[in-house]
Amino acid sequence: MTTGPTPDQALVPPPGCPAHRGATPATTPLYGPVVADDPHGLYARLREQHGPVAPIELEPGVEAWLVLGYPELLELTRNEQLFSKDSRRWRVPREGRLRSDSRLLPMTAWRPTLLNLDGAEHQRLRAAVSDTLSRIDHRQLRETTEQAADALIDSWGPDGTADLIAQYARKLPLLVFTRLLGLPAETGPHLIELISHFVDSSEKSVRANAEFQAILVDLVRQRRERPGADLTSWLLAHHAGLSDEEAVHHLVVILVAGNETTINWTGNTLRLLLTDRRFRATLAGGRLTVSDALDEVLWRDPPTQNFPGRWATSDTVLGGQYISAGDMLVLGLAAANADPVVHGGAGGDGLAGNRAHLAWGAGRHVCPAQSPARLIVETAVETLLHRLPDLQLAVPGHELAWRPSPWSRALVALPVLYSAFTPPRAAAPSPERSPWTPTPQTGPSDSTPSAATSTPRTPDSAKPGPRSWWNSLAGWWSGR
């Protein structure tokens, strides 16, 4: 015969309840080698132990929740009433438990940006960013990215070796972004170094973040006085009426989120093509495209594997866990993409062309820069495969190392071998105008590759057009 709880038992809150914090399951560190070496294994273990929401530690003494479930992540991102983007609600710093030099500060500190606001103010700022990005001419962006990629490849030495992370993926986006934002070209290498420090949560992250913003403060001041045909000027001129401070912080968002994501997406796609014989064979046979590879990477190894965050506005329950007001919840993008609920036991097959992943987030805060990012990465990969058709990995795939970041999914290096260059494609003649002057959009075909990467080209089609700006910058960047 079963009996009900004793009076003493009835007074005890269930484990995990905000009133019973002592019984909360032990937290798992979301930092250190395990995040880099085997994140998929880590997420699977957390799911098995705790379900779709797991208790984690972001650094010693700083707890949070990692949302692993696909349905739970959708609920988290769509319910602003319960889960706010405003990090000022976080109880850890309010309780004095976040060190002034914490490596988490650059990724969690509140700023007046679309990333940290809800409701009408978020919509105002999002409109400014989205409208500004929509002014990019996709045809010109593709041409500019291809020219920058060709210039980088041309700058490599004659020994038939390269590191596709250090010499290509990490340099190409900022070659494009510096011109896109109106920054001096020579600031590119320094910006890469600064961004790496605070995305990797290194010991230099706080100082790097301050120096990075100082560069952008100067850029905003210059563009306020002398507008040009660039994203910075368009953002300042938007009818949303951004202040200088708001503009600087949104340039940080565009550069960090856009640049870091593009770097990692490029590197992870190239890794897939070099290590997955199945995918490389289907690509060469024309059954899959580079765009399909991009989607598969967004499912399996999204460039941002975890993203901070949401903050509970009141005590609630999510995924069977009792969440206290002020708790931080981290979006487990890679883990949610691997949720068995989504794949129905299919083991993650058939991901090519499927864009139901959560790599860009979800809800009102979904990334507004998906289209230009995809165009840059797709062009970068296609150009490289055309120029170096016999590209192969220089080390066994299992020896590739990942950066120790709790946020990014990024390779340390991608060493390759190749035997010869294929000449670059002919540059189409363009009218004399700024590369970012908006032109009428012609629809989705603007971002569609003009030809498959394996299409043969005649010798006459390989005569390069004028690329002196890119060649000189790429050569300087490579130390020539």
Side-chain angles (χ1 to χ4, degrees):
M1 182 178 69
T2 58
T3 60
T6 67
D8 287 342
Q9 290 172 328
L11 296 175
V12 178
C17 174
H20 197 176
R21 283 226 162 251
T24 301
T27 57
T28 298
L30 196 69
Y31 55 87
V34 66
V35 181
D37 297 341
D38 185 23
H40 299 296
L42 172 64
Y43 304 145
R45 290 191 297 274
L46 287 172
R47 194 190 314 276
E48 182 178 354
Q49 294 168 7
H50 304 287
V53 178
I56 58 169
E57 191 176 59
L58 294 173
E59 64 182 23
V62 178
E63 75 282 352
W65 300 96
L66 180 63
V67 181
L68 306 155
Y70 189 100
E72 288 74 18
L73 198 145
L74 288 178
E75 181 180 350
L76 177 74
T77 55
R78 292 173 177 174
N79 191 340
E80 288 186 359
Q81 298 302 315
L82 274 177
F83 305 109
S84 172
K85 284 288 291 180
D86 191 337
S87 62
R88 291 173 296 187
R89 296 178 179 270
W90 193 12
R91 60 186 182 81
V92 169
R94 288 206 314 264
E95 294 169 2
R97 294 190 291 115
L98 191 68
R99 302 191 319 269
S100 60
D101 62 345
S102 169
R103 300 178 184 183
L104 299 173
L105 281 171
M107 295 294 288
T108 61
W110 186 87
R111 297 179 178 90
T113 74
L114 75 171
L115 293 180
N116 299 99
L117 294 165
D118 304 311
E121 190 62 7
H122 166 258
Q123 292 302 313
R124 176 182 76 91
L125 297 172
R126 182 180 176 87
V129 173
S130 297
D131 292 348
T132 296
L133 292 173
S134 71
R135 296 184 66 174
I136 298 173
D137 177 352
H138 282 197
R139 179 187 60 81
Q140 190 66 43
L141 178 59
R142 178 178 289 279
E143 291 179 3
T144 303
T145 303
E146 186 171 332
Q147 291 170 2
D150 281 331
L152 279 174
I153 295 169
D154 289 341
S155 72
W156 297 347
D159 61 354
T161 66
D163 175 1
L164 296 185
I165 301 301
Q167 294 177 262
Y168 193 68
R170 294 203 69 77
K171 292 183 176 180
L172 178 59
L174 271 182
L175 280 173
V176 177
F177 275 110
T178 50
R179 202 170 187 190
L180 183 65
L181 292 176
L183 281 161
E186 60 271 16
T187 62
H190 189 45
L191 288 176
I192 285 181
E193 180 183 6
L194 296 176
I195 291 173
S196 296
H197 283 313
F198 58 80
V199 170
D200 282 349
S201 296
S202 76
E203 66 278 1
K204 300 179 181 178
S205 60
V206 175
R207 186 175 61 186
N209 183 51
E211 188 174 349
F212 180 74
Q213 291 197 51
I215 293 173
L216 297 180
V217 166
D218 187 57
L219 173 65
V220 166
R221 179 185 57 78
Q222 293 179 25
R223 286 297 175 266
R224 189 72 86 176
E225 296 173 357
R226 298 184 298 279
D230 53 65
L231 285 184
T232 304
S233 300
W234 297 339
L235 189 63
L236 291 170
H238 192 270
H239 60 77
L242 271 65
S243 67
D244 284 5
E245 181 186 15
E246 288 176 329
V248 167
H249 287 303
H250 282 89
L251 292 180
V252 172
V253 170
I254 291 171
L255 267 174
V256 175
N259 183 71
E260 187 69 16
T261 298
T262 304
I263 290 169
N264 301 343
W265 196 5
T266 301
N268 295 354
T269 302
L270 292 171
R271 171 186 171 272
L272 171 68
L273 296 176
L274 290 169
T275 60
D276 191 325
R277 294 182 179 180
R278 168 195 60 87
F279 207 100
R280 187 70 179 261
T282 53
L283 181 70
R287 295 187 297 279
L288 289 174
T289 66
V290 167
S291 183
D292 292 326
L294 299 185
D295 288 322
E296 185 151 341
V297 166
L298 291 179
W299 276 103
R300 295 189 176 187
D301 280 308
T304 302
Q305 59 176 330
N306 301 301
F307 192 78
R310 296 292 193 278
W311 286 268
T313 60
S314 61
D315 295 350
T316 186
V317 176
L318 179 68
Q321 299 284 8
Y322 290 86
I323 312 297
S324 291
D327 278 2
M328 178 180 177
L329 299 101
V330 176
L331 281 66
L333 304 176
N337 281 349
D339 191 342
V341 171
V342 179
H343 302 291
D349 294 332
L351 300 180
N354 185 335
R355 298 186 183 179
H357 56 76
L358 297 177
W360 301 112
R364 294 177 180 174
H365 286 269
V366 68
C367 176
Q370 300 176 42
S371 183
R374 174 177 285 271
L375 188 56
I376 292 171
V377 176
E378 187 174 284
T379 304
V381 174
E382 288 181 337
T383 302
L384 186 70
L385 295 181
H386 166 65
R387 293 293 310 278
L388 306 176
D390 62 348
L391 198 65
Q392 59 181 304
L393 203 58
V395 298
H398 67 270
E399 292 185 6
L400 296 175
W402 299 90
R403 281 164 48 197
S405 170
W407 316 120
S408 297
R409 182 61 172 160
L411 289 164
V412 173
L414 188 58
V416 294
L417 305 172
Y418 56 90
S419 61
F421 293 106
T422 295
R425 299 176 178 89
S430 300
E432 291 298 325
R433 60 185 178 90
S434 164
W436 306 115
T437 301
T439 58
Q441 300 295 305
T442 59
S445 61
D446 284 348
S447 61
T448 303
S450 58
T453 58
S454 58
T455 303
R457 289 169 173 79
T458 63
D460 287 342
S461 69
K463 296 177 181 177
R467 296 183 292 110
S468 58
W469 190 89
W470 293 114
N471 282 333
S472 60
L473 177 56
W476 168 80
W477 209 335
S478 301
R480 295 191 306 169

